[in-house]
Amino acid sequence: MEGRNLFFLMSIILLLIFTFLNLPSPLSHTTDQLLDCTTYSPWCSSRKPFFLRQPENSKNHYADFPNHPLDPLTIGEIQKVKKIVNSIAEFRIKGCVLHSVVLEEPEKEVVLNWRRGHRLPPRKAAVVARALGVVHVLSVDIETGRVTRRETGSYSGYPILTIEDMISATSAPFANSDFNRSIIQRGVDLADLACLPVAAGWYGKIEEKRRVIKVQCFTLKDTINFYMRPIEGLTVLLDLDTQQVIEISDGESIPIPKAANTDYRYSRIKKNKQKINLLKPISIEQPNGPSFTIENNHLVKWANWEFHLKPDPRAGVIISRVMFEDPDTGKMRNVMYKGFTSELFVPYMDPSDAWYFKTYMDAGEYGFGLQAMPLDPLNDCPRNAYYMDGVFVAADGTPYVRSNMICVFERYAGDIGWRHAECPITGLPIREVRPKVTLVVRMAASVANYDYIVDWEFQNDGLIRPKVGLSGILMVKGSPYVNMNEVNQNEYLYGTLLSENIIGVIHDHYVTFHLDMDIDGPSNNSFVKVNLQKEMTSSGESPRRSYLKAVRNVAKTEKDAQIKLKLYDPSEFHVINSNKKSRVGNPVGYKVVPGGTAASLLDHNDPPQKRAAFTNNQIWVTPYNESEQWAAGLFVYQSQGDDTLAVWSDRDRAIENKDIVLWYTLGFHHIPCQEDFPIMPTVSSSFEIKPVNFFESNPILNIPPNSPKDLPICKAAASA
């Protein structure tokens, strides 16, 4: 019995590391009782409240009130929503769960027509609730209390998992004697057991008409890095609602990797300790403070940019109403109505019984924002960063705070905005250089073992750069091998032997962005594919034999804008406003500039690829539809791929001179290597959203160069 209690405690601690930390104690109406679950996460249970005081330096969110139509729900509004939902008889029953409570954004036209100082549109909450196994999508008018039910269609899938789902899934297997026996036979002390709930995906009848989850376990003995000590071959399939074990897969007993050299904490690293401090401290100082301001908690202003910023439990960060002040006219011009991370797809490339289902949808199954961890000042974000908290909702409707979820800061890394120097033969003593300073919006999500760093970087020349960094810990597989010389030549390991008995399994990452481009307004936007084609010169026309020609093709319908990137078929991808022309007659626009990316190689009929069919192309363009926000569909858990971006796009709707949304997928192939052990150095990729004929000329001609009198002189310490 004591071992079982210890297991339950370790499972809860593990889940906190797994980022589903968010079930808070009930909020009272006193300010000092606001519970911050990122600080006091081990005690975030409505059944066992522990700390009810507000953490030191935490912001007081009780006084928050909305100032903008897109501002997230406040604590007071969430409490009203909870009361309204609880007043409905069918939701007062035991077992009713709120999977999501967020702002129901007003119609786009209403937001675009709203002006500061005007009355806010009616505030409504979008609620996803589940009662007696039935999922309900509700629209709750916060002022009037009116509740409207939304039709969701007959699509497959369930809402995002809750923390209660996670906790119950890790404790339920202990009611099964076969599971207990298998753990003990493998020589693992129950007190050291740590288990993870793993989304099961969808593969057929066993997942139909019931919510199921898989549970796999590790040992925490002698290391905090339990991911490197998997109990390989043991998988439990569990019914989430009945808590009954459906099936136990107990394969060949594989040696559990040793704990040596798996700890990554600075305080525990002893190897080459004398070489740890290779770098001297570095800090970028801003003697006059930062150049950006954040008004009313969510409106960001920097250089010529202005946009609305808010945390979101599913997307993580939402950037809205992105506008740029034209340097020639002084007018604010629309660039993008809304941009966010719509879905992440992470398939592992091992078809064996214990691994085939590891094909995660991190936003739709777990909530990308729910997994965002507090950012660490001076390490995650530099000095003079501004930190923004998220206010989210637990399964019982109670609001809680995710502290320091987003940071905003200016970056200067010695890069150059533009330059030109004349060579000596011209006799012109010209050397003009401008530094590049950018504004960064950052969030970091810890999705169990993996850490994702998502940046939205704004340049003062009108460019936006979404960027994704991958770090954290590999999900590894136990192996009987300690050296590659033991492996049969014909045996395939599905990955790389990283250390004794540890294989890093090959996998992919795909991050799909929803980009609602509004170039000088939402109407009359079109997608243009500008193909670069080789043209041959006529005989005698020129000493040249060939040249490149730009051929513009305006996409008429969605299928015209389904793009697979090809190195030897280069193109540019523009979103233009055909009704707005530059001074010399070019349509104004922005272009998506792909960076290093990867494409999914999985068969289109493979079940996980059916669910992730939005990765079949790198670019899609759809007509604006407020119900089409999530690339994998509204309900992703155990979905079958019948409500995805690919399904919508195959309707082949008209997109010329319309309000359109561009979707871009950033991809990574990851073949693990020893340098990824025991924790991975960050690998990043990005793409750019860049003006093309949007301005009459270079928009940063008026940016001054740096001058010594403007910058402080910092003296190095005497020891240097």
Side-chain angles (χ1 to χ4, degrees):
M1 182 61 70
E2 181 181 356
R4 186 174 300 183
N5 291 337
L6 284 169
F7 159 78
F8 188 71
L9 176 61
M10 295 310 298
S11 294
I12 292 176
I13 293 173
L14 174 58
L15 283 167
L16 304 171
I17 299 170
F18 190 50
T19 77
F20 297 99
L21 323 174
N22 306 324
L23 184 61
S25 301
L27 284 174
S28 76
H29 292 283
T30 57
T31 302
D32 63 354
Q33 286 185 314
L34 179 59
L35 178 66
D36 186 308
C37 286
T38 60
T39 301
Y40 300 120
S41 51
W43 316 106
C44 284
S45 168
S46 57
R47 297 178 295 277
K48 298 179 71 174
F50 186 78
F51 285 105
L52 294 178
R53 66 180 183 271
Q54 197 168 351
E56 186 179 356
N57 299 324
S58 179
K59 298 173 185 175
N60 175 10
H61 289 281
Y62 273 99
D64 290 353
F65 60 91
N67 294 280
H68 189 283
L70 298 177
D71 280 357
L73 296 177
T74 65
I75 286 176
E77 290 176 323
I78 293 168
Q79 290 172 329
K80 288 181 181 179
V81 171
K82 178 181 179 180
K83 184 176 180 180
I84 293 168
V85 173
N86 286 343
S87 70
I88 303 172
E90 64 187 294
F91 299 123
R92 286 200 300 268
I93 62 173
K94 183 179 179 181
C96 175
V97 174
L98 301 185
H99 288 264
S100 175
V101 180
V102 295
L103 174 75
E104 181 180 298
E105 295 184 357
E107 291 183 0
K108 184 173 180 179
E109 184 178 1
V110 172
V111 176
L112 292 174
N113 290 331
W114 180 83
R115 295 294 178 266
R116 216 167 304 166
H118 290 184
R119 181 181 176 86
L120 288 178
R123 298 278 288 176
K124 297 181 180 180
V127 178
V128 177
R130 192 170 54 85
L132 296 176
V134 179
V135 177
H136 305 266
V137 178
L138 311 175
S139 173
V140 179
D141 190 307
I142 297 171
E143 290 302 317
T144 67
R146 182 183 179 189
V147 177
T148 306
R149 297 176 188 266
R150 303 291 193 195
E151 293 294 328
T152 60
S154 56
Y155 301 115
S156 60
Y158 297 98
I160 291 172
L161 294 172
T162 67
I163 182 67
E164 290 90 343
D165 291 328
M166 301 291 114
I167 292 176
S168 62
T170 57
S171 59
F174 260 61
N176 186 283
S177 59
D178 292 335
F179 174 81
N180 294 339
R181 188 181 304 111
S182 181
I183 294 295
I184 294 169
Q185 287 175 349
R186 292 166 188 258
V188 177
D189 192 325
L190 297 178
D192 296 325
L193 197 66
C195 297
L196 280 180
V198 182
W202 183 83
Y203 294 90
K205 291 183 179 181
I206 199 167
E207 292 95 11
E208 286 184 354
K209 298 181 180 179
R210 58 181 173 182
R211 295 193 313 143
V212 297
I213 198 164
K214 304 234 179 179
V215 179
Q216 293 186 326
C217 300
F218 309 77
T219 174
L220 277 160
K221 184 174 175 56
D222 298 329
T223 182
I224 195 67
N225 191 355
F226 58 87
Y227 296 106
M228 293 298 152
R229 306 203 69 196
I231 301 173
E232 194 62 46
L234 180 63
T235 304
V236 176
L237 179 65
L238 185 75
D239 187 308
L240 268 171
D241 294 319
T242 67
Q243 296 297 293
Q244 296 298 308
V245 171
I246 301 170
E247 179 181 272
I248 296 178
S249 297
D250 194 356
E252 178 187 358
S253 182
I254 302 294
I256 296 175
K258 293 181 172 59
N261 301 318
T262 60
D263 203 324
Y264 48 84
R265 292 171 293 175
Y266 184 79
S267 60
R268 300 298 177 93
I269 295 175
K270 296 180 180 179
K271 183 180 180 181
N272 294 328
K273 189 173 182 180
Q274 71 278 12
K275 296 182 179 180
I276 286 178
N277 295 321
L278 295 174
L279 301 177
K280 297 174 182 177
I282 184 171
S283 178
I284 306 301
E285 303 302 326
Q286 294 182 279
N288 298 321
S291 299
F292 66 89
T293 60
I294 298 184
E295 299 178 0
N296 297 323
N297 299 320
H298 297 285
L299 187 64
V300 182
K301 294 183 177 181
W302 176 78
N304 291 53
W305 287 107
E306 178 178 311
F307 56 89
H308 186 273
L309 170 64
K310 69 177 177 184
D312 182 81
R314 183 164 177 172
V317 172
I318 295 180
I319 310 279
S320 302
R321 295 294 283 121
V322 181
M323 296 185 287
F324 195 94
E325 182 180 345
D326 192 293
D328 295 320
T329 66
K331 293 182 179 180
M332 298 301 297
R333 300 176 64 185
N334 290 304
V335 175
M336 183 170 66
Y337 181 73
K338 191 175 183 180
F340 60 91
T341 302
S342 180
E343 191 53 86
L344 298 90
F345 175 48
V346 187
Y348 282 78
M349 303 303 169
D350 185 339
S352 64
D353 188 59
W355 279 80
Y356 74 88
F357 53 87
K358 293 183 180 181
T359 54
Y360 305 102
M361 302 279 195
D362 289 332
E365 291 177 335
Y366 302 120
F368 198 42
L370 295 178
Q371 300 161 79
M373 293 292 99
L375 296 165
D376 185 21
L378 300 184
N379 293 299
D380 278 322
C381 312
R383 263 201 193 103
N384 290 318
Y386 173 94
Y387 293 88
M388 183 179 293
D389 298 342
V391 177
F392 297 151
V393 184
D396 65 354
T398 303
Y400 65 90
V401 174
R402 174 55 47 81
S403 294
N404 292 0
M405 175 180 165
I406 298 171
C407 72
V408 183
F409 62 91
E410 287 170 293
R411 172 187 293 169
Y412 173 60
D415 293 327
I416 297 169
W418 65 264
R419 82 176 313 277
H420 180 65
E422 280 294 337
C423 64
I425 61 172
T426 66
L428 298 174
I430 292 177
R431 186 175 60 188
E432 289 284 329
V433 187
R434 301 294 183 270
K436 177 188 285 187
V437 179
T438 63
L439 183 77
V440 178
V441 174
R442 172 169 295 167
M443 180 205 78
S446 298
V447 189
N449 55 304
Y450 251 98
D451 287 59
Y452 292 87
I453 305 103
V454 178
D455 287 355
W456 288 82
E457 187 172 11
F458 295 81
Q459 294 185 183
N460 54 9
D461 60 2
L463 181 144
I464 305 171
R465 181 182 297 105
K467 179 180 177 182
V468 177
L470 307 179
S471 188
I473 303 169
L474 286 171
M475 184 64 74
V476 302
K477 179 177 183 176
S479 168
Y481 303 120
V482 298
N483 194 286
M484 286 299 295
N485 61 19
E486 301 173 355
V487 181
N488 186 297
Q489 187 175 2
N490 297 322
E491 183 177 0
Y492 182 60
L493 299 181
Y494 302 106
T496 304
L497 189 67
L498 303 177
S499 186
E500 290 80 358
N501 305 116
I502 297 175
I503 292 174
V505 177
I506 296 170
H507 57 282
D508 288 347
H509 299 264
Y510 299 100
V511 186
T512 297
F513 288 84
H514 170 114
L515 306 169
D516 182 0
M517 304 300 294
D518 277 8
I519 306 302
D520 274 338
S523 59
N524 299 307
N525 277 207
S526 297
F527 177 74
V528 182
K529 183 180 179 183
V530 184
N531 292 97
L532 287 172
Q533 299 178 356
K534 180 175 69 175
E535 292 287 318
M536 304 299 293
T537 58
S538 302
S539 178
E541 177 185 354
S542 169
R544 289 279 299 273
R545 295 286 303 275
S546 62
Y547 63 97
L548 294 185
K549 179 180 180 180
V551 179
R552 300 168 61 86
N553 297 289
V554 179
K556 305 293 184 182
T557 65
E558 291 175 277
K559 289 187 178 180
D560 294 336
Q562 296 177 356
I563 306 296
K564 290 180 173 65
L565 298 177
K566 300 175 183 177
L567 184 62
Y568 286 96
D569 183 15
S571 299
E572 288 194 355
F573 310 102
H574 297 190
V575 177
I576 65 166
N577 188 321
S578 56
N579 278 12
K580 299 290 180 70
K581 299 289 196 298
S582 69
R583 186 184 69 252
V584 296
N586 291 311
V588 301
Y590 262 71
K591 62 182 177 181
V592 170
V593 183
T597 191
S600 178
L601 302 179
L602 296 180
D603 188 275
H604 285 192
N605 291 318
D606 194 356
Q609 190 61 33
K610 282 184 178 180
R611 301 175 68 224
F614 54 88
T615 65
N616 290 347
N617 299 305
Q618 287 73 57
I619 294 176
W620 311 72
V621 179
T622 60
Y624 174 80
N625 184 326
E626 63 180 11
S627 69
E628 296 176 0
Q629 302 265 340
W630 309 107
L634 178 61
F635 300 143
V636 177
Y637 195 81
Q638 290 177 227
S639 66
Q640 300 176 26
D642 49 0
D643 182 30
T644 68
L645 171 58
V647 173
W648 312 332
S649 180
D650 278 345
R651 296 169 187 159
D652 207 21
R653 296 163 292 187
I655 57 173
E656 185 179 15
N657 291 325
K658 302 286 186 181
D659 186 357
I660 58 177
V661 176
L662 187 145
W663 309 72
Y664 181 85
T665 295
L666 195 63
F668 301 80
H669 294 307
H670 189 176
I671 303 175
C673 59
Q674 287 183 234
E675 288 80 1
D676 294 331
F677 174 86
I679 196 163
M680 295 175 286
T682 302
V683 174
S684 301
S685 190
S686 64
F687 66 99
E688 295 176 349
I689 307 167
K690 185 177 182 180
V692 54
N693 302 318
F694 190 77
F695 303 109
E696 296 296 346
S697 61
N698 184 340
I700 55 171
L701 284 174
N702 60 347
I703 300 298
N706 279 337
S707 171
K709 66 181 177 60
D710 298 326
L711 303 173
I713 298 176
C714 300
K715 295 183 179 180
S719 60

